[in-house]
Amino acid sequence: MDSSDFRTRSILPITGQVLTSLGELISEGRYRLHDAVSADPLRLFQEALEFFQRCLGLQELQLSQADLDPSTSRSRSMEVDERGTVTTKKVESDYPHAVPEPSYDDNWATIVEPVTNQAIMDTLLAQVETLTSICGLLSTQGIGDPNWIHEYYRDCLHNKLLRVEADTGRHYEAALAKAKYRCAVADANFNTTMLDVPTYESELTGAYKDLSDSNPDPQALCDSADAEIVFAASLLRASTQVMESMLDDGAKLNIIRWKHLTKALDNLTIAGRLPTAENLPRIHLRRGDCELLRRRLGAAPWSYDIAAKSASTLLKNAEIFYRVAARLAKAENAVDEEMEASIKETIVIAASAGDLNIFRERMELDRIRAQELTDEMREDGLLGEEDTRLFAL
């Protein structure tokens, strides 16, 4: 493999990662482009997949060539002796009349790293993560056919993942990525009315079953909690008529929503207590979000009795979780999480007191971000109609 192949192999995944990150920022409303074409997150995700797939094809080709005949390289190659000293070696050309290779200064050399299954695994996982992001986008838009995503995974990734994870031993990492993908596909299918509630719930339960049966892991617990929250939020967004048509007994809906939000809260609580837990501010932020979603179940049109009777307690719990998140974020110098937690805490306090002035005082500190967060909370189902009227949103 020459250096140009190496550069191509390096540029492709980096470009794919940049496109995926940009697509996520745009889809979450955290970044805006004036060019409507460039600002289409779905197009960015699809282009990222193309780059990853090209990279994977090149990696597989180069790995197969190396396996067949490691000595076929016709370029200057690198040798490392037993002491770790790097030297250059000139490889003779197979062509008798080839142009003589120019001399090189021995002080200059290009180190070309060989392709390994570890690198291929990185590329495969990057594609799974991009597909997961596409599912999230389709879920929020409620349009498009997710079938092509399933077909892409089945035809291009499934068998390769099984083989490479066996070769690399990265079973747990692959299991996490596949569980997130499975839940995201189920949510996209549900939001495009291609999946009913019982089937969606079954997919959600099955996705993390094997992971939850092993030793508690903060990442798996947090990912599972996020999937539970997304499930409950999707059910909250769906119209009552659609939901009741998916179940024999519409009254079961409230029980299902409450159960999954409570499970998410339990998972986050366990994760936050583990010594290996990372990003504790984010964990406590999600705990606060869970309590607000549970509170929403007590309002119309759901009017779930348990949630209605516990509304003040749930608000207080959310306030505490947000306050703890803000304090932890400040200690870690996590500016974004600190601001989000602080604003959410103020919103909850204002909602509890029914006093808009509390919110207005906080708005004066950062009006743009405060307005963005209240809009996001309303879209995510954390704030209901009564809150909307209070904040005049």
Side-chain angles (χ1 to χ4, degrees):
M1 178 180 64
D2 60 29
S3 59
S4 64
D5 287 338
F6 174 69
R7 285 192 297 270
T8 301
R9 198 187 78 207
S10 302
I11 291 172
L12 289 174
I14 293 174
T15 305
Q17 290 165 3
V18 170
L19 290 171
T20 299
S21 298
L22 185 57
E24 290 173 348
L25 288 172
I26 294 174
S27 63
E28 294 169 5
R30 292 187 289 159
Y31 189 81
R32 292 178 174 84
L33 292 176
H34 297 297
D35 182 1
V37 176
S38 301
D40 180 6
L42 180 57
R43 175 174 175 172
L44 292 172
F45 287 140
Q46 291 173 328
E47 289 181 357
L49 280 178
E50 292 176 6
F51 278 101
F52 287 134
Q53 193 60 30
R54 287 169 57 192
C55 176
L56 180 64
L58 185 59
Q59 287 173 326
E60 291 175 327
L61 175 63
Q62 292 168 350
L63 185 62
S64 64
Q65 289 176 340
D67 289 340
L68 289 173
D69 187 1
S71 63
T72 56
S73 173
R74 295 188 179 92
S75 63
R76 292 175 59 86
S77 62
M78 304 300 299
E79 288 188 345
V80 181
D81 61 22
E82 295 179 356
R83 295 171 297 176
T85 303
V86 180
T87 59
T88 59
K89 176 184 177 181
K90 183 175 179 179
V91 181
E92 296 297 331
S93 170
D94 293 340
Y95 300 97
H97 302 294
V99 177
E101 188 176 358
S103 60
Y104 291 88
D105 186 342
D106 288 340
N107 292 325
W108 293 89
T110 300
I111 299 177
V112 179
E113 297 180 359
V115 176
T116 64
N117 275 320
Q118 295 289 352
I120 290 178
M121 187 65 171
D122 291 338
T123 306
L124 288 170
L125 291 178
Q127 290 184 82
V128 175
E129 292 168 1
T130 302
L131 289 176
T132 302
S133 297
I134 293 175
C135 289
L137 182 64
L138 295 183
S139 294
T140 56
Q141 292 181 343
I143 58 175
D145 184 357
N147 278 335
W148 72 267
I149 301 174
H150 171 71
E151 293 171 358
Y152 185 101
Y153 179 87
R154 180 196 63 202
D155 298 340
C156 301
L157 302 179
H158 178 69
N159 291 334
K160 292 178 182 179
L161 266 173
L162 293 176
R163 175 181 58 79
V164 179
E165 70 180 77
D167 292 339
T168 59
R170 294 164 65 178
H171 299 285
Y172 192 79
E173 184 181 359
L176 278 176
K178 287 187 284 189
K180 290 182 67 174
Y181 163 77
R182 181 176 175 181
C183 291
V185 169
D187 188 62
N189 282 325
F190 173 78
N191 281 285
T192 52
T193 66
M194 297 175 62
L195 205 66
D196 59 21
V197 176
T199 306
Y200 184 6
E201 187 178 22
S202 176
E203 285 292 299
L204 177 65
T205 303
Y208 286 94
K209 185 180 184 303
D210 292 338
L211 291 169
S212 60
D213 290 342
S214 59
N215 293 329
D217 172 65
Q219 188 62 55
L221 288 166
C222 289
D223 288 351
S224 175
D226 284 342
E228 300 282 355
I229 293 171
V230 169
F231 172 82
S234 290
L235 266 60
L236 282 171
R237 285 195 301 267
S239 68
T240 303
Q241 293 80 7
V242 171
M243 295 302 299
E244 290 182 350
S245 69
M246 292 182 175
L247 290 176
D248 296 333
D249 182 6
K252 292 180 181 179
L253 288 172
N254 284 331
I255 298 174
I256 292 173
R257 295 176 180 123
W258 182 270
K259 178 183 72 174
H260 285 278
L261 287 172
T262 303
K263 183 178 179 181
L265 190 61
D266 291 343
N267 284 348
L268 291 168
T269 301
I270 296 171
R273 292 173 179 171
L274 294 174
T276 54
E278 298 179 354
N279 202 346
L280 286 174
R282 180 57 56 185
I283 291 176
H284 287 287
L285 274 166
R286 297 302 271 165
R287 293 176 75 186
D289 293 348
C290 278
E291 293 295 57
L292 291 185
L293 284 170
R294 294 210 297 177
R295 166 183 171 255
R296 283 288 316 281
L297 292 177
W302 309 286
S303 304
Y304 188 41
D305 186 57
I306 295 177
K309 291 179 178 179
S310 307
S312 59
T313 301
L314 296 172
L315 269 178
K316 190 63 180 178
N317 289 345
E319 177 188 338
I320 293 172
F321 290 144
Y322 290 144
R323 184 179 302 128
V324 172
R327 187 176 69 245
L328 291 171
K330 184 176 182 179
E332 297 179 8
N333 198 29
V335 178
D336 291 341
E337 283 82 1
E338 181 185 0
M339 180 175 292
E340 178 181 347
S342 177
I343 294 175
K344 284 186 173 181
E345 179 191 357
T346 303
I347 291 173
V348 169
I349 293 173
S352 299
D355 187 354
L356 181 59
N357 290 326
I358 298 175
F359 177 67
R360 284 174 175 167
E361 291 175 4
R362 185 61 181 81
M363 286 274 287
E364 293 302 322
L365 297 177
D366 194 326
R367 179 175 297 274
I368 295 178
R369 185 57 181 142
Q371 188 63 60
E372 287 177 347
L373 264 178
T374 50
D375 290 342
E376 289 175 13
M377 293 174 73
R378 180 195 55 193
E379 292 170 2
D380 294 340
L382 304 181
L383 298 177
E385 291 183 6
E386 67 283 2
D387 304 312
T388 300
R389 288 193 297 269
L390 172 64
F391 298 116
L393 298 177

